[in-house]
Short mmCIF file of all heavy atoms in Angstrom, two decimals:
data_model
loop_
_atom_site.label_atom_id
_atom_site.label_comp_id
_atom_site.label_asym_id
_atom_site.label_seq_id
_atom_site.Cartn_x
_atom_site.Cartn_y
_atom_site.Cartn_z
N ILE A 1396 -136.01 -125.67 68.31
CA ILE A 1396 -136.89 -126.09 67.22
C ILE A 1396 -136.09 -126.05 65.92
O ILE A 1396 -135.46 -124.99 65.59
CB ILE A 1396 -138.13 -125.19 67.11
CG1 ILE A 1396 -138.85 -125.22 68.46
CG2 ILE A 1396 -139.05 -125.68 66.01
CD1 ILE A 1396 -139.92 -124.15 68.56
N GLU A 1397 -136.08 -127.08 65.14
CA GLU A 1397 -135.39 -127.06 63.88
C GLU A 1397 -136.34 -127.53 62.78
O GLU A 1397 -136.78 -128.72 62.81
CB GLU A 1397 -134.16 -128.05 63.92
CG GLU A 1397 -133.14 -127.60 64.94
CD GLU A 1397 -131.91 -128.59 65.05
OE1 GLU A 1397 -131.98 -129.58 65.73
OE2 GLU A 1397 -130.93 -128.24 64.39
N ASP A 1398 -136.64 -126.61 61.87
CA ASP A 1398 -137.50 -126.99 60.70
C ASP A 1398 -137.13 -126.16 59.55
O ASP A 1398 -136.02 -125.55 59.51
CB ASP A 1398 -139.02 -126.90 61.09
CG ASP A 1398 -139.31 -125.44 61.69
OD1 ASP A 1398 -138.62 -124.49 61.30
OD2 ASP A 1398 -140.25 -125.33 62.42
N LYS A 1399 -138.01 -126.13 58.53
CA LYS A 1399 -137.70 -125.33 57.28
C LYS A 1399 -137.50 -123.81 57.60
O LYS A 1399 -136.86 -123.12 56.81
CB LYS A 1399 -138.83 -125.54 56.28
CG LYS A 1399 -138.90 -126.97 55.76
CD LYS A 1399 -139.98 -127.07 54.72
CE LYS A 1399 -140.04 -128.46 54.18
NZ LYS A 1399 -141.16 -128.63 53.16
N ALA A 1400 -138.10 -123.36 58.69
CA ALA A 1400 -137.98 -121.92 59.06
C ALA A 1400 -136.67 -121.62 59.72
O ALA A 1400 -136.33 -120.43 59.99
CB ALA A 1400 -139.11 -121.51 59.94
N GLY A 1401 -135.80 -122.65 59.95
CA GLY A 1401 -134.55 -122.48 60.67
C GLY A 1401 -134.55 -122.97 62.08
O GLY A 1401 -135.44 -123.68 62.50
N ARG A 1402 -133.54 -122.54 62.83
CA ARG A 1402 -133.36 -122.98 64.24
C ARG A 1402 -133.91 -121.86 65.17
O ARG A 1402 -133.63 -120.68 64.95
CB ARG A 1402 -131.88 -123.25 64.54
CG ARG A 1402 -131.28 -124.27 63.61
CD ARG A 1402 -129.81 -124.41 63.94
NE ARG A 1402 -129.56 -125.37 65.06
CZ ARG A 1402 -128.41 -125.56 65.67
NH1 ARG A 1402 -127.40 -124.77 65.35
NH2 ARG A 1402 -128.29 -126.47 66.62
N ARG A 1403 -134.68 -122.22 66.18
CA ARG A 1403 -135.24 -121.34 67.09
C ARG A 1403 -135.17 -121.90 68.47
O ARG A 1403 -135.23 -123.16 68.63
CB ARG A 1403 -136.73 -120.99 66.73
CG ARG A 1403 -136.87 -120.46 65.34
CD ARG A 1403 -138.30 -120.05 65.04
NE ARG A 1403 -139.30 -121.14 65.14
CZ ARG A 1403 -139.42 -122.09 64.32
NH1 ARG A 1403 -138.64 -122.24 63.24
NH2 ARG A 1403 -140.38 -123.10 64.48
N LEU A 1404 -135.06 -121.07 69.49
CA LEU A 1404 -135.00 -121.53 70.89
C LEU A 1404 -136.29 -121.10 71.55
O LEU A 1404 -136.58 -119.88 71.58
CB LEU A 1404 -133.82 -120.97 71.63
CG LEU A 1404 -133.74 -121.33 73.14
CD1 LEU A 1404 -133.62 -122.82 73.32
CD2 LEU A 1404 -132.57 -120.56 73.73
N ARG A 1405 -137.04 -122.02 72.13
CA ARG A 1405 -138.22 -121.73 72.90
C ARG A 1405 -138.00 -121.92 74.38
O ARG A 1405 -137.50 -122.94 74.75
CB ARG A 1405 -139.40 -122.62 72.40
CG ARG A 1405 -140.73 -122.32 73.08
CD ARG A 1405 -141.86 -123.17 72.54
NE ARG A 1405 -143.11 -122.83 73.15
CZ ARG A 1405 -144.27 -123.48 72.83
NH1 ARG A 1405 -144.27 -124.43 71.94
NH2 ARG A 1405 -145.36 -123.13 73.43
N VAL A 1406 -138.39 -120.95 75.14
CA VAL A 1406 -138.34 -120.95 76.66
C VAL A 1406 -139.70 -120.81 77.19
O VAL A 1406 -140.44 -119.94 76.89
CB VAL A 1406 -137.46 -119.81 77.18
CG1 VAL A 1406 -137.43 -119.80 78.71
CG2 VAL A 1406 -136.04 -119.89 76.61
N THR A 1407 -140.15 -121.85 77.98
CA THR A 1407 -141.42 -121.83 78.67
C THR A 1407 -141.22 -121.94 80.11
O THR A 1407 -140.58 -122.84 80.64
CB THR A 1407 -142.31 -123.05 78.16
OG1 THR A 1407 -142.42 -122.99 76.75
CG2 THR A 1407 -143.69 -123.02 78.80
N LEU A 1408 -141.83 -120.99 80.88
CA LEU A 1408 -141.74 -120.90 82.34
C LEU A 1408 -143.17 -120.99 82.88
O LEU A 1408 -144.02 -120.19 82.57
CB LEU A 1408 -141.05 -119.63 82.82
CG LEU A 1408 -139.63 -119.37 82.24
CD1 LEU A 1408 -139.12 -118.06 82.79
CD2 LEU A 1408 -138.71 -120.50 82.63
N ASN A 1409 -143.40 -122.02 83.73
CA ASN A 1409 -144.70 -122.16 84.43
C ASN A 1409 -144.46 -121.65 85.87
O ASN A 1409 -143.78 -122.25 86.64
CB ASN A 1409 -145.14 -123.56 84.45
CG ASN A 1409 -145.36 -124.08 83.06
OD1 ASN A 1409 -146.17 -123.51 82.26
ND2 ASN A 1409 -144.57 -125.12 82.65
N GLY A 1410 -145.17 -120.49 86.17
CA GLY A 1410 -145.02 -119.89 87.51
C GLY A 1410 -146.11 -120.22 88.46
O GLY A 1410 -147.22 -120.48 88.03
N HIS A 1411 -145.79 -120.25 89.70
CA HIS A 1411 -146.84 -120.43 90.79
C HIS A 1411 -146.58 -119.41 91.93
O HIS A 1411 -145.45 -119.30 92.40
CB HIS A 1411 -146.83 -121.89 91.36
CG HIS A 1411 -147.76 -122.04 92.51
ND1 HIS A 1411 -149.05 -122.23 92.36
CD2 HIS A 1411 -147.51 -122.01 93.84
CE1 HIS A 1411 -149.67 -122.32 93.53
NE2 HIS A 1411 -148.74 -122.26 94.49
N ARG A 1412 -147.71 -118.74 92.35
CA ARG A 1412 -147.60 -117.83 93.38
C ARG A 1412 -148.79 -118.01 94.29
O ARG A 1412 -149.95 -118.13 93.81
CB ARG A 1412 -147.63 -116.39 92.81
CG ARG A 1412 -147.41 -115.24 93.84
CD ARG A 1412 -147.52 -113.96 93.12
NE ARG A 1412 -147.14 -112.84 94.05
CZ ARG A 1412 -148.00 -112.30 94.89
NH1 ARG A 1412 -149.24 -112.75 94.90
NH2 ARG A 1412 -147.66 -111.31 95.64
N PRO A 1413 -148.62 -118.08 95.66
CA PRO A 1413 -149.74 -118.23 96.55
C PRO A 1413 -150.69 -117.08 96.53
O PRO A 1413 -150.21 -115.99 96.30
CB PRO A 1413 -149.06 -118.47 97.89
CG PRO A 1413 -147.73 -117.82 97.80
CD PRO A 1413 -147.33 -117.99 96.38
N SER A 1414 -151.96 -117.28 96.73
CA SER A 1414 -152.97 -116.20 96.82
C SER A 1414 -153.29 -115.93 98.33
O SER A 1414 -152.84 -116.69 99.20
CB SER A 1414 -154.21 -116.60 96.06
OG SER A 1414 -154.76 -117.85 96.63
N PHE A 1415 -154.09 -114.88 98.55
CA PHE A 1415 -154.38 -114.55 99.94
C PHE A 1415 -155.30 -115.54 100.60
O PHE A 1415 -155.95 -116.41 99.90
CB PHE A 1415 -154.92 -113.07 100.01
CG PHE A 1415 -156.17 -112.87 99.28
CD1 PHE A 1415 -157.37 -112.98 100.00
CD2 PHE A 1415 -156.19 -112.65 97.89
CE1 PHE A 1415 -158.56 -112.72 99.30
CE2 PHE A 1415 -157.40 -112.45 97.24
CZ PHE A 1415 -158.62 -112.48 97.95
N PHE A 1416 -155.44 -115.42 101.85
CA PHE A 1416 -156.26 -116.37 102.63
C PHE A 1416 -155.80 -117.79 102.50
O PHE A 1416 -156.55 -118.69 102.32
CB PHE A 1416 -157.69 -116.27 102.27
CG PHE A 1416 -158.43 -115.00 102.69
CD1 PHE A 1416 -159.50 -114.49 101.97
CD2 PHE A 1416 -158.03 -114.29 103.87
CE1 PHE A 1416 -160.10 -113.30 102.36
CE2 PHE A 1416 -158.62 -113.08 104.21
CZ PHE A 1416 -159.61 -112.55 103.50
N GLY A 1417 -154.45 -117.89 102.54
CA GLY A 1417 -153.87 -119.24 102.53
C GLY A 1417 -154.18 -119.98 101.16
O GLY A 1417 -154.45 -121.13 101.14
N SER A 1418 -154.10 -119.17 100.04
CA SER A 1418 -154.33 -119.71 98.71
C SER A 1418 -155.71 -120.29 98.55
O SER A 1418 -155.91 -121.24 97.80
CB SER A 1418 -153.24 -120.75 98.39
OG SER A 1418 -151.96 -120.15 98.26
N MET A 1419 -156.67 -119.66 99.28
CA MET A 1419 -158.07 -120.13 99.07
C MET A 1419 -158.75 -119.51 97.89
O MET A 1419 -159.65 -120.08 97.27
CB MET A 1419 -158.88 -119.82 100.37
CG MET A 1419 -158.39 -120.65 101.54
SD MET A 1419 -159.40 -120.28 103.04
CE MET A 1419 -161.06 -120.72 102.51
N LEU A 1420 -158.35 -118.26 97.57
CA LEU A 1420 -158.94 -117.56 96.43
C LEU A 1420 -157.82 -117.04 95.47
O LEU A 1420 -157.06 -116.11 95.87
CB LEU A 1420 -159.75 -116.33 96.94
CG LEU A 1420 -161.03 -116.70 97.67
CD1 LEU A 1420 -161.74 -115.43 98.20
CD2 LEU A 1420 -162.04 -117.45 96.71
#
Side-chain angles (χ1 to χ4, degrees):
I1396 304 167
E1397 298 181 276
D1398 53 28
K1399 292 181 179 180
R1402 305 176 85 192
R1403 305 183 300 285
L1404 175 64
R1405 182 178 183 181
V1406 176
T1407 303
L1408 303 178
N1409 299 300
H1411 174 78
R1412 187 180 184 279
S1414 59
F1415 63 96
F1416 291 149
S1418 293
M1419 293 179 62
L1420 292 174

